[in-house]
Amino acid sequence: MYFTLAISAVTRQRCAVLVSAAQDTDPRVMPVPGPARLAWRAPDERTAILHWGSPGPSGPAASPGGALGGDRAGPSHAGTIWVSPGPAVLRARTGLARVDPVYLAEPTGAVVVSDRACWAAAVTGRLDDHDPVMVGAFLSLGYPAGAATPFRGVRALAGGRSLRVAGGRAVLAQAEAGDVAGGRRVAAALVEAVRPLADAAVPVELSLTGGKDSRLIAAALAAADVPFRARTYGFAGDPDVIIAGMIAERLGLEHTVTEPRAAAGQAPDQAEVLSRLRSAVLVSDGMLSAFENVGSWVRPDREVAAEPVQAGGHGGELLRGGYAQAAWRSPVPQRRVRAGPAWSSAAAAELFRRLTTRRLGLLRPAAASAYLASLAPWAAALAAGPLRALDDFYLVNRAGRWSAAARQAYLIRSPLTQPFFSDRVIRAAHAVPLRPRMNDQLHRDVLASLRPELLGLPLAGRPWQGEPQTADNVLTTRPGAAAEPDWRRSEATTGLLREYVLDLGGAGQLFGIVSRRAAERVLQPPQADPHAAWALASLAALLSGDWLQARTPARTAQQAHRG
């Protein structure tokens, strides 16, 4: 895994200064071993590309449908940043789901493009200049919204955009659709998205569950003649394990079951919680709450060359209308469902409010105003078409921000492919009217066209939309199984997070953006909000700079504050 930073400047001197800053970046900012190396420089020395880390198996070959690179100078690992042949023109491009992100900063006399926001911020002197719009979104969603990053002056390019930079000046445009052969049919698009994996050195490893999405990826892999094997996480009697075994048997797959660790639900100690907070900020580029398990950084001795490409069903909600399905199926009397537009508008507005502003009261007035202003375009979209707006909001925010951060964190450890995020699949799905997507008809039609024998197998937990739940079509939790306690939501964990937030909040910018009094209320036991506690603690780690200690032995919050 390696990261890329490209510079285009008005003068060779300005480019040289930024190249030097990129090479001198504090290694603690980056989650993979460095230092930076100059990969390419233009003859006029006004354009340069640098890499941090070493190329590995997580490059374009591991990202079918998302790899945009080719035979171009110094391309990024995902092929999203490159220099075109001939004149030294820096180019970048994002996919529709932008799960392989591109970040843009425009300091005086130059343009900086990177697939790592922290690196762009460090090079342009923005590492300690934090954006309150990102904080507002982070508290509600657990990740940024729109173009915001943790760093003011560094923004994420929107989905489906192309960037052309020459002489230190950037021009943005809508990316061309490109070849979408078969794109009008989701089944054909999905098969084309996974077909390049047939050339992998070892079989693809599919994370297979009893749900709807991973079985559809299994069907696409089988239809594309891609060698693959299945792995399921759980106990022998779990519905996911049972149904995954049925799917593997129908497809003739090697199927491995990995049981959870016996102490999986045991609460970690204070040092482990602190380490998780720091690592989450480092690995996710400051864009995911530590409530999520995003792993850690790559160590210099890590061997990944022989690892198989990992695949799964993440992103399948795109076929079902994203957030729109959640609003459409909200429990209301049947007569109100038939009312249609009025109900849809109200349900969609309420869901959008819960997603984006439920913790608005934590922000100070100026930060709250800035965050609300960033949501204004979505208010207009909701008024014009509520369900369609929620569908688009899922693609732009949940896919393009949460998934982008989670994907990058995963790629640091292992090669990963996510076929549902292929541009072809997204275009094909969005060409289908919303109703047959929300009622699962599109999903079932695609599965029937690829592997109809999988359509009749039961689902884990919930039936297809519109079907009654029966013993034949749904398997629920095994009898007598107790839910594993979630230590992340425990009162003890929330207490540790509260101590960390209140101790470190004043050491950085947190309480300049967040109201300390409101934070104390939301962290107060026994009614503390666990998601808010993790979000606030992650922000405290970021805004105080404590995340830069991710590679040092964990200490208590008080020790970190003093030291």
Side-chain angles (χ1 to χ4, degrees):
M1 178 67 177
Y2 66 98
F3 296 106
T4 296
L5 185 136
I7 299 163
S8 176
V10 174
T11 66
R12 58 186 295 185
Q13 292 82 5
R14 181 62 171 142
C15 184
V17 168
L18 293 170
V19 167
S20 179
Q23 292 174 321
D24 293 341
T25 298
D26 186 341
R28 297 180 302 167
V29 170
M30 306 296 281
V32 299
R37 59 187 176 87
L38 186 64
W40 178 87
R41 180 154 33 199
D44 66 4
E45 299 184 19
R46 293 194 298 162
T47 306
I49 292 183
L50 298 98
H51 289 164
W52 186 294
S54 302
S58 58
S63 306
L68 304 169
D71 186 17
R72 293 173 272 197
S76 59
H77 76 90
T80 52
I81 303 169
W82 71 95
V83 171
S84 59
V89 176
L90 174 62
R91 297 185 182 274
R93 183 180 173 187
T94 54
L96 293 173
R98 59 173 176 167
V99 292
D100 290 313
V102 175
Y103 301 105
L104 176 65
E106 298 182 81
T108 302
V111 174
V112 174
V113 182
S114 181
D115 51 18
R116 185 76 182 168
C118 288
W119 198 7
V123 170
T124 58
R126 299 283 190 171
L127 206 57
D128 296 321
D129 188 4
H130 300 292
D131 192 341
V133 172
M134 177 270 185
V135 174
F138 201 89
L139 289 173
S140 291
L141 298 165
Y143 53 91
T149 75
F151 315 103
R152 203 193 309 261
V154 179
R155 71 180 191 273
L157 291 192
R161 296 293 191 274
S162 65
L163 176 68
R164 182 183 185 276
V165 187
R169 294 177 178 84
V171 177
L172 269 171
Q174 191 76 28
E176 294 181 5
D179 180 13
V180 292
R184 293 185 180 277
R185 301 182 59 187
V186 177
L190 198 55
V191 171
E192 287 305 307
V194 302
R195 197 181 299 281
L197 293 171
D199 297 329
V202 294
V204 172
E205 186 167 283
L206 173 66
S207 177
L208 185 61
T209 71
K212 304 169 183 176
D213 299 326
S214 63
R215 78 174 63 191
L216 190 51
I217 298 300
L221 290 167
D225 294 322
V226 175
F228 71 106
R229 56 179 181 251
R231 181 180 296 277
T232 306
Y233 183 80
F235 294 104
D238 289 346
D240 277 326
V241 172
I242 295 170
I243 299 172
M246 295 179 183
I247 296 170
E249 184 179 7
R250 294 288 178 94
L251 296 179
L253 298 176
E254 175 189 343
H255 182 219
T256 302
V257 177
T258 302
E259 292 193 353
R261 293 182 295 114
Q266 182 177 342
D269 61 22
Q270 186 173 15
E272 290 174 307
V273 171
L274 178 56
S275 177
R276 181 182 176 114
L277 289 168
R278 292 170 170 176
S279 293
V281 175
L282 173 68
V283 174
S284 74
D285 215 5
M287 296 193 207
L288 274 186
S289 163
F291 184 86
E292 311 292 344
N293 182 16
V294 294
S296 189
W297 58 90
V298 169
R299 293 172 177 82
D301 59 351
R302 180 164 175 78
E303 292 289 342
V304 297
E307 286 193 24
V309 174
Q310 306 292 317
H314 185 71
E317 297 91 346
L318 290 165
L319 271 61
R320 301 193 294 275
Y323 290 134
Q325 191 185 60
W328 178 73
R329 73 186 183 200
S330 294
V332 295
Q334 191 63 29
R335 62 182 181 275
R336 292 182 63 191
V337 173
R338 294 195 184 102
W343 174 82
S344 294
S345 180
E350 174 57 20
L351 178 58
F352 185 79
R353 184 199 65 78
R354 294 202 312 268
L355 287 171
T356 59
T357 61
R358 61 183 300 187
R359 300 188 181 95
L360 189 66
L362 284 169
L363 296 176
R364 290 185 176 275
S369 296
Y371 175 53
L372 287 174
S374 74
L375 298 176
W378 289 106
L382 283 165
L387 292 177
R388 175 60 68 180
L390 284 180
D391 183 25
D392 292 340
F393 187 66
Y394 179 91
L395 177 62
V396 169
N397 286 279
R398 177 69 177 183
R401 301 318 308 272
W402 186 94
S403 295
R407 172 180 168 81
Q408 194 171 86
Y410 197 102
L411 282 171
I412 289 169
R413 306 187 304 275
S414 181
L416 173 71
T417 182
Q418 294 170 299
F420 285 123
F421 291 136
S422 160
D423 281 2
R424 288 186 176 189
V425 174
I426 294 170
R427 287 194 201 98
H430 278 229
V432 176
L434 200 49
R435 179 58 66 92
R437 292 168 60 200
M438 294 189 299
N439 66 15
D440 283 346
Q441 188 59 53
L442 172 61
H443 206 299
R444 285 183 283 188
D445 287 347
V446 173
L447 189 58
S449 70
L450 294 176
R451 284 289 174 161
E453 66 269 32
L454 302 184
L455 191 59
L457 296 179
L459 295 169
R462 179 181 294 167
W464 297 101
Q465 284 293 309
E467 288 187 358
Q469 180 170 320
T470 69
D472 293 329
N473 66 8
V474 174
L475 287 183
T476 55
T477 304
R478 67 188 191 278
E484 191 74 44
D486 188 348
W487 63 268
R488 296 173 302 173
R489 294 180 169 88
S490 72
E491 188 171 324
T493 298
T494 304
L496 291 178
L497 298 175
R498 180 179 188 274
E499 175 186 346
Y500 183 79
V501 169
L502 298 182
D503 280 350
L504 286 191
Q509 301 175 34
L510 181 64
F511 291 138
I513 302 173
V514 173
S515 163
R516 181 180 181 115
R517 182 174 298 179
E520 289 175 342
R521 283 198 303 269
V522 82
L523 294 171
Q524 186 65 36
Q527 71 276 6
D529 179 346
H531 282 276
W534 281 103
L536 284 165
S538 302
L539 287 170
L542 170 70
L543 303 183
S544 68
D546 189 46
W547 65 285
L548 296 174
Q549 312 304 318
R551 290 183 175 87
T552 62
R555 299 171 295 168
T556 65
Q558 294 97 329
Q559 289 173 325
H561 182 51
R562 296 189 195 106

